[in-house]
């Protein structure tokens, strides 16, 4: 009898456990259907995209979760299987990279924004720089370093290197670069006074009250700065396409322009 009661108790517990697991499965399924739109976006977009996401929630009651980092790091994460719904890159190269791997929905791709490249110094600096061919930026830096994104991978770093090469200044400063993992990290080095000068996007400079724009790089000194956006191939979130449409609408234009972006919102096949 003792054995029978023990066995019956075990069966009862197993049945209860099965019911609980079924309940969790139902909850999990409902959650999956209504999950947040997950956006992987270049670090330089943080302020504007946070504002756009908040506006989307006010309008629809739905949430957007954004993971910010350097475009190269985000592209590699998507390639490794990260469950992003949307990718917003700070250059065409990393969007093209995912496109070449078949990891975006090409029909959804658009060029969303434009930006400009600036030289910044800590707030209150009296540094004066004219960005023209032949500039001796190494002499201006003295024994200090120039903060910028990693020049071989981070879009802002790649644009910065191209601009310095165009001006004939790269050879003099290439050994004096403080390379950061993303453009916001480079901005922080200047903001904290750890670097006297840095190369960032205009939008980054606008976002930080502890830096001043010393000069703007000529547009012809670097490739056009374009921010493409696309749905990822594996996204099955029905709200992702709606949020992309929201991003390219006039409703978000003020958020981007407030931060210094040029609003484009045009379809593109890439380069």
């Amino acid at each position: 009898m003792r054995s029978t009661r023990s066995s019956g108790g075990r069966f009862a517990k197993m049945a209860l456990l099965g019911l609980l697991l079924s309940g969790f499965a139902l909850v999990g399924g409902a959650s999956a259907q209504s999950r947040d739109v997950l956006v992987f976006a270049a670090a330089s977009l943080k302020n504007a995209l946070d504002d756009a996401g908040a506006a989307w929630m006010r309008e629809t009651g739905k949430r957007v979760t954004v993971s910010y980092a350097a475009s190269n790091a985000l592209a590699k994460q998507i390639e490794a299987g990260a469950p992003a719904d949307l990718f917003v890159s700070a250059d065409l190269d990393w969007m093209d990279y995912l496109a070449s791997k078949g990891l975006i929905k090409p029909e959804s791709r658009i060029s969303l924004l434009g930006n400009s490249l600036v030289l910044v110094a800590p707030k209150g600096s009296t540094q004066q720089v004219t960005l023209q061919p032949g500039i001796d930026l190494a002499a201006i830096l003295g024994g200090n370093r120039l903060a910028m994104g990693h020049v071989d991978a981070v879009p802002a770093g790649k644009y910065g290197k191209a601009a310095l090469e165009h001006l004939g200044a790269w050879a003099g400063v290439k050994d004096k670069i403080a390379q950061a993992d993303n453009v916001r990290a480079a901005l922080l080095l200047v903001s904290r006074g750890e670097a006297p000068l840095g190369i960032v996007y205009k939008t980054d400079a606008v976002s930080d009250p502890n830096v001043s724009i010393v000069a703007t790089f000529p547009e012809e000194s670097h490739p056009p700065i374009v921010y493409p956006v696309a749905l990822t191939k594996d996204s099955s979130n029905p709200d992702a396409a709606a949020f992309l449409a929201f991003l390219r609408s006039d409703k978000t234009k003020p958020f981007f322009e407030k931060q210094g972006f040029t609003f484009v919102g045009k379809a593109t096949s890439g380069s």
Side-chain angles (χ1 to χ4, degrees):
M1 294 293 292
R2 188 177 304 162
S3 175
T4 301
R5 285 197 299 269
S6 176
S7 176
R10 284 198 300 271
F11 283 129
K13 289 179 180 178
M14 290 175 64
L16 179 59
L17 180 60
L19 288 172
L20 289 172
L21 290 174
S22 297
F24 284 132
L26 289 171
V27 172
S31 176
Q33 292 176 359
S34 60
R35 69 177 178 83
D36 297 354
V37 175
L38 179 56
V39 180
F40 277 20
S44 52
L45 285 162
K46 179 169 175 49
N47 298 66
L49 203 51
D50 281 353
D51 287 344
W56 164 258
M57 185 174 179
R58 288 193 298 270
E59 180 171 306
T60 66
K62 298 175 181 178
R63 294 174 58 90
V64 175
T65 298
V66 188
S67 177
Y68 295 105
S71 301
N72 56 300
L74 295 172
K76 288 293 187 178
Q77 289 173 26
I78 292 171
E79 184 181 18
D85 295 305
L86 282 171
F87 176 49
V88 194
S89 175
D91 71 355
L92 297 173
D93 289 349
W94 286 108
M95 186 65 78
D96 289 345
Y97 177 83
L98 289 185
S100 71
K101 304 284 185 179
L103 294 175
I104 64 167
K105 296 176 181 176
E107 70 281 3
S108 72
R109 177 175 173 172
I110 64 167
S111 288
L112 183 65
L113 304 166
N115 210 336
S116 55
L117 199 67
V118 299
L119 188 69
V120 293
K123 192 74 173 180
S125 171
T126 58
Q127 189 67 261
Q128 296 184 348
V129 179
T130 301
L131 293 172
Q132 59 187 11
I135 181 175
D136 189 354
L137 196 54
I140 296 171
L141 286 169
N144 297 303
R145 292 185 175 274
L146 175 67
M148 55 193 297
H150 197 290
V151 300
D152 293 325
V154 177
K158 293 161 61 180
Y159 290 128
K161 180 182 177 182
L164 293 174
E165 288 178 330
H166 179 86
L167 296 174
W170 175 250
V173 300
K174 64 180 181 180
D175 295 324
K176 296 185 175 185
I177 305 296
Q179 299 193 61
D181 289 338
N182 60 67
V183 68
R184 285 297 174 99
L187 177 70
L188 193 58
L189 290 174
V190 181
S191 181
R192 289 176 174 173
E194 297 172 20
L197 293 171
I199 298 177
V200 299
Y201 298 123
K202 176 185 176 182
T203 53
D204 297 302
V206 169
S207 74
D208 192 329
N210 295 316
V211 303
S212 297
I213 295 177
V214 174
T216 299
F217 284 90
E219 286 187 9
E220 67 274 13
S221 69
H222 55 79
I225 300 174
V226 179
Y227 287 65
V229 56
L231 295 168
T232 61
K233 179 182 71 71
D234 293 332
S235 174
S236 58
N237 190 329
D239 295 327
F243 183 63
L244 175 56
F246 181 75
L247 284 180
R248 68 181 299 185
S249 73
D250 286 341
K251 294 177 181 179
T252 63
K253 186 177 180 180
F255 304 131
F256 293 116
E257 292 186 339
K258 176 184 175 182
Q259 299 300 326
F261 288 101
T262 302
F263 191 79
V264 181
K266 294 180 180 179
T268 176
S269 60
S271 58

